[in-house]
Amino acid sequence: VAAENREPFIAPTNSYSAYAKIDYDEKLTVGMTRSFFSHPSTTGFRPAQTKFGDNAVLNSAIDTYNGKYKHSFSDSLKSETMIDYASYELLPDSMFSNVAPAFTSYKYAKSSKVKFEEQVNYSVNKDHDLVGGLSYEHFDALPRTPDLPQMYNTSLGSSAQNQFFPNTNNTVPIKIYEVDWENYGSYLQLESRWTSQITTVLGLRHDHNTRFADTFNPRAGVIIKPAESTVFKLLYGESYRMPPAEFSYRLFGSFTGARNARGEYISNFFNLPNPNLNPEKLRQVEANLSHNLTPNFVVQVSGYYIIVSDAIAGVSV
C-alpha cells in the first residue's frame, strides 16, 4: 500500500486497576486486586510490515484474591494460615496485524494458581526458634497460543477449537496446549542465638511436583556481630526454578504456502515447544559485611558466587 494511502499511525494504550484490603483484629486479613492492561501489538514493526489500528492490541487481565489468619496458641506457639488465588488471561480479542501471520492473527492465553499454606512458629526457648510449614499449590495453564486465524472460543475446550495454520489449505491443525499440575511443599528452619555476637540459621525445604522429580533445597547462614556497629553474614542456599508453561509449551510460527518435494508445507520460522524441560538448579554462596561509620553513614560490601545447572535457553535446530 502506497504511503499516502496507508492508515495513520495509532498506538492505543489504556489500563485500570482496583484493589481492596480488610484487616480485622490483627488476626484476619483478606484482599483482592483486579488489573487490566491494553497495549499495541504493532510496537517494533515498520509501517511496511504492519497495519496500525485500534484492534491491533493485546488485552490482558490479572486477578488475585488472598487471605491470611494468625492464631496464637501460647506465647511460644503461633500459626499462620494463608490462602491465595491468582489468574491471568490474555483476552481472546488480542491480535497482531503484521506481515508474518498474513495481517490477521489472534492470540489467547490463560492460567491460574491456587495456593494453601500453613506455617507454625515455635519458640523452643529464648535462644532457639523453629519455623515449619506445609504448602499445596495447583496450577492450570494454557500458554499463549500460536497465531489463530479466528478468535479463540472460550466456550469450547482447547482441543475443540478446530483451527488450522494459514497457507495450509486447512490441512495442518493448530495444536493448543493446556496443562495442569500440583506442588506439595514442606519446610523447616531453626534460628539459634548462641551468643550476643553469633546467630545461625539452618533450613531445609522439600517439594514434590507432579511434573518433575522431588527436590530438597537446604539453606544455612551464620551472622556474626563482632562490634555494635559491624555485622558479618555468610549465607548458603539452594533452590530450583520450575520452567514456566510458556517456556515448555509455547508454539508459534507460520507457513509460506509452498511445499517441498515430499509435499510438506514449508516454514521460514517456528518456535517449537519442549515439554521435557527440567527445572533449573541454583546454588549460591554470599558474604556480606556492614559497618556503621557513624549513626548516619553505613558502608556495606557484598560478594556472591552462583552455580546454575540445567539453565533454560532457546536453541536453533
Side-chain angles (χ1 to χ4, degrees):
V1 177
E4 62 271 16
N5 297 325
R6 284 185 56 82
E7 72 284 345
F9 172 80
I10 184 173
T13 302
N14 66 85
S15 67
Y16 69 80
S17 61
Y19 58 91
K21 181 181 177 183
I22 298 175
D23 291 313
Y24 177 74
D25 196 28
E26 298 184 351
K27 292 183 177 181
L28 178 65
T29 300
V30 294
M32 60 79 63
T33 64
R34 164 74 176 180
S35 63
F36 170 83
F37 181 51
S38 177
H39 65 283
S41 60
T42 54
T43 302
F45 291 96
R46 296 192 299 271
Q49 296 175 313
T50 191
K51 290 183 179 179
F52 300 101
D54 290 334
N55 60 341
V57 293
L58 300 177
N59 299 317
S60 59
I62 297 176
D63 294 284
T64 67
Y65 301 89
N66 57 79
K68 181 186 297 184
Y69 177 73
K70 298 179 180 180
H71 183 71
S72 178
F73 297 95
S74 65
D75 291 339
S76 60
L77 183 61
K78 298 178 174 61
S79 71
E80 190 170 270
T81 303
M82 293 161 281
I83 300 176
D84 293 286
Y85 171 81
S87 69
Y88 162 81
E89 186 175 19
L90 182 65
L91 302 179
D93 57 349
S94 300
M95 68 169 294
F96 285 91
S97 181
N98 55 56
V99 67
F103 286 102
T104 301
S105 67
Y106 293 93
K107 291 285 189 178
Y108 183 71
K110 188 175 183 179
S111 63
S112 64
K113 181 185 79 169
V114 178
K115 180 179 180 180
F116 171 82
E117 182 173 352
E118 182 70 28
Q119 185 180 99
V120 177
N121 294 264
Y122 176 62
S123 294
V124 181
N125 52 48
K126 64 183 182 65
D127 294 321
H128 301 279
D129 295 319
L130 271 175
V131 179
L134 299 171
S135 66
Y136 166 79
E137 296 170 286
H138 178 84
F139 300 85
D140 192 347
L142 191 158
R144 189 184 298 194
T145 64
D147 299 316
L148 303 177
Q150 290 92 36
M151 195 179 300
Y152 186 94
N153 188 344
T154 56
S155 63
L156 299 175
S158 57
S159 61
Q161 295 297 312
N162 195 33
Q163 299 203 42
F164 298 86
F165 282 102
N167 301 324
T168 65
N169 293 319
N170 293 337
T171 59
V172 181
I174 294 177
K175 172 68 174 177
I176 299 176
Y177 291 93
E178 187 168 9
V179 293
D180 64 271
W181 67 96
E182 296 175 327
N183 190 82
Y184 302 84
S186 58
Y187 56 90
L188 186 66
Q189 179 172 288
L190 174 64
E191 301 175 8
S192 301
R193 292 170 293 277
W194 301 102
T195 69
S196 59
Q197 290 82 31
I198 300 176
T199 302
T200 60
V201 177
L202 292 173
L204 180 67
R205 180 181 175 97
H206 168 251
D207 284 279
H208 171 71
N209 193 293
T210 56
R211 286 178 61 193
F212 310 105
D214 286 18
T215 60
F216 292 88
N217 295 293
R219 64 179 304 187
V222 58
I223 303 171
I224 302 174
K225 194 174 182 181
E228 185 64 29
S229 58
T230 305
V231 178
F232 174 75
K233 299 179 183 179
L234 183 62
L235 309 172
Y236 174 80
E238 296 184 10
S239 62
Y240 84 103
R241 178 189 180 224
M242 181 179 64
E246 176 80 359
F247 286 8
S248 299
Y249 294 95
R250 189 175 182 188
L251 168 65
F252 64 91
S254 60
F255 292 96
T256 64
R259 302 193 189 202
N260 60 20
R262 296 188 297 271
E264 299 167 328
Y265 285 100
I266 297 173
S267 171
N268 294 325
F269 171 76
F270 251 95
N271 185 93
L272 300 177
N274 182 3
N276 297 319
L277 283 178
N278 287 317
E280 294 179 339
K281 181 71 174 181
L282 184 146
R283 298 175 177 87
Q284 175 172 317
V285 177
E286 179 179 348
N288 181 286
L289 178 63
S290 178
H291 180 68
N292 288 49
L293 294 177
T294 72
N296 299 316
F297 187 66
V298 180
V299 176
Q300 188 175 64
V301 179
S302 296
Y304 59 87
Y305 181 75
I306 302 175
I307 299 175
V308 179
S309 305
D310 298 321
I312 297 172
V315 296
S316 299
V317 296

